[in-house]
Amino acid sequence: MDALQNEAVKKRVKQVNDYVKRVRKVTKPYLPMITRVLIIATFVEDGIRVLLDIKPQANFLTYQYSLPFALSVMLIASTTLVSLAASAAICSRKPKLELYGCYAQLGYVFYQQVLYGRHSPIGSGNFGFLMRNLCLAGTLLMLIVQNRLSEGHTALPGIPDPGDKSTTMTYIQLGARALLVLLSLEFLSNAGAFATLVTIPVLLAVLLGFQTQISGTVLLIMYFLHNVSNSAFWAIKSDSQRNSFDREVKRYEFVQTLSIMGGLMLLISTGPGQLSVDSKMGRQKNF
């Protein structure tokens, strides 16, 4: 009986894998640009919003860090323009420009965390803001890995390989996978026992690189459902100053989650790397 059940499970897993492969085959020509548009979405949305309403941002820096107002404006404008230029570089899909764009956005994420980490307006608070920024960093690392591997490189410029069977990229892939699952901490804290029991195995599967096409797709769906239910900015009317502020925060959260989902899509399409269960079991060739 157990043997029959195991065969049924294996057959079902194979069917799901085959379905994911068919979907990937149809979307493959468009997937690289779709993932990049999703990844830069939060930087573009944040940049446009800040440039159109720069005075409150400058007042915040002046109040919190005692910076001169003119210097605050210059700092915000320059970093925002660099981020927007980096977004354009990522979408150019020219390897060098894309790589430098990713480095610039990683710097921008760090800059945002340093300046606003103690004063996060998002619903999950300062800890949630940190987790979201770490997820964004994981997304950008995943794109860096894809960029370097597609160019035939196994390490970052100027960094030698470890010298064993693994490469620098495989360790970065492992780190990126670990960072990408951190967004789940935002909804696990409020999830019931059943939802937690369902979610944790999916997180572990993605982290370990086990059945990555399936587990990554399930986690992608979870992030999407959480995004729609938790950050539905369109449901908030802008009929008061408080509601307008809440709407802006929810829109920021919504678009940021889309960017993190872009990183998950990259993971699903490129595979988890050598430091994964899939690689050890000979499934890396499926990606």
Side-chain angles (χ1 to χ4, degrees):
M1 189 68 177
D2 289 341
L4 289 175
Q5 288 178 340
N6 288 337
E7 284 298 321
V9 170
K10 288 180 180 179
K11 185 178 179 181
R12 186 60 180 168
V13 169
K14 186 178 183 302
Q15 288 174 342
V16 174
N17 262 323
D18 289 342
Y19 177 75
V20 173
K21 286 179 185 177
R22 288 197 297 270
V23 172
R24 282 188 56 222
K25 186 176 180 180
V26 173
T27 58
K28 188 175 181 180
Y30 316 102
L31 198 57
M33 185 53 70
I34 291 172
T35 54
R36 282 158 179 78
V37 168
L38 286 176
I39 288 169
I40 69 166
T42 187
F43 300 105
V44 173
E45 186 273 339
D46 186 57
I48 293 173
R49 175 172 48 81
V50 167
L51 290 178
L52 291 178
D53 197 19
I54 198 170
K55 186 177 179 180
Q57 305 289 332
N59 285 334
F60 171 82
L61 294 187
T62 299
Y63 176 76
Q64 291 294 338
Y65 300 102
S66 302
L67 294 177
F69 182 79
L71 180 60
S72 297
V73 171
M74 290 176 60
L75 177 64
I76 293 169
S78 59
T79 53
T80 301
L81 290 173
V82 167
S83 177
L84 291 174
S87 297
I90 289 173
C91 276
S92 72
R93 297 192 60 196
K94 294 180 179 179
K96 277 194 175 181
L97 283 178
E98 183 177 87
L99 188 63
Y100 294 145
C102 288
Y103 290 158
Q105 296 296 33
L106 278 173
Y108 187 73
V109 170
F110 178 76
Y111 156 83
Q112 291 274 64
Q113 181 60 41
V114 169
L115 284 189
Y116 305 109
R118 292 182 300 159
H119 312 281
S120 168
I122 68 171
S124 52
N126 295 347
F127 178 74
F129 188 71
L130 173 61
M131 293 301 101
R132 282 174 165 271
N133 279 335
L134 288 174
C135 281
L136 273 181
T139 294
L140 292 165
L141 288 174
M142 192 62 66
L143 185 55
I144 288 172
V145 168
Q146 199 255 4
N147 175 286
R148 296 297 287 170
L149 291 179
S150 66
E151 289 294 294
H153 302 292
T154 58
L156 295 174
I159 300 178
D161 276 335
D164 54 16
K165 290 183 180 179
S166 301
T167 66
T168 303
M169 290 297 104
T170 62
Y171 290 104
I172 295 177
Q173 280 177 306
L174 176 60
R177 291 205 312 271
L179 293 175
L180 282 172
V181 304
L182 291 178
L183 182 63
S184 60
L185 298 179
E186 188 172 82
F187 56 84
L188 269 182
S189 58
N190 298 320
F194 176 76
T196 301
L197 287 174
V198 171
T199 305
I200 288 178
V202 176
L203 302 182
L204 290 175
V206 173
L207 183 59
L208 296 173
F210 175 71
Q211 293 288 354
T212 308
Q213 287 186 323
I214 296 175
S215 59
T217 301
V218 173
L219 186 59
L220 186 70
I221 294 170
M222 287 180 174
Y223 280 4
F224 173 77
L225 294 176
H226 169 66
N227 203 23
V228 171
S229 61
N230 185 69
S231 305
F233 66 91
W234 55 87
I236 302 175
K237 295 181 180 179
S238 303
D239 53 359
S240 68
Q241 186 174 358
R242 178 62 190 178
N243 283 349
S244 295
F245 176 76
D246 290 343
R247 183 185 174 93
E248 290 294 316
V249 170
K250 290 296 182 183
R251 184 170 65 184
Y252 172 80
E253 292 179 356
F254 183 86
V255 180
Q256 191 178 57
T257 303
L258 289 181
S259 292
I260 295 168
M261 288 169 61
L264 265 179
M265 289 175 66
L266 267 180
L267 172 63
I268 295 166
S269 62
T270 61
Q274 290 187 14
L275 296 178
S276 64
V277 175
D278 282 338
S279 178
K280 301 301 180 185
M281 297 179 70
R283 284 196 293 261
Q284 185 70 11
K285 63 180 181 296
N286 291 340
F287 297 91

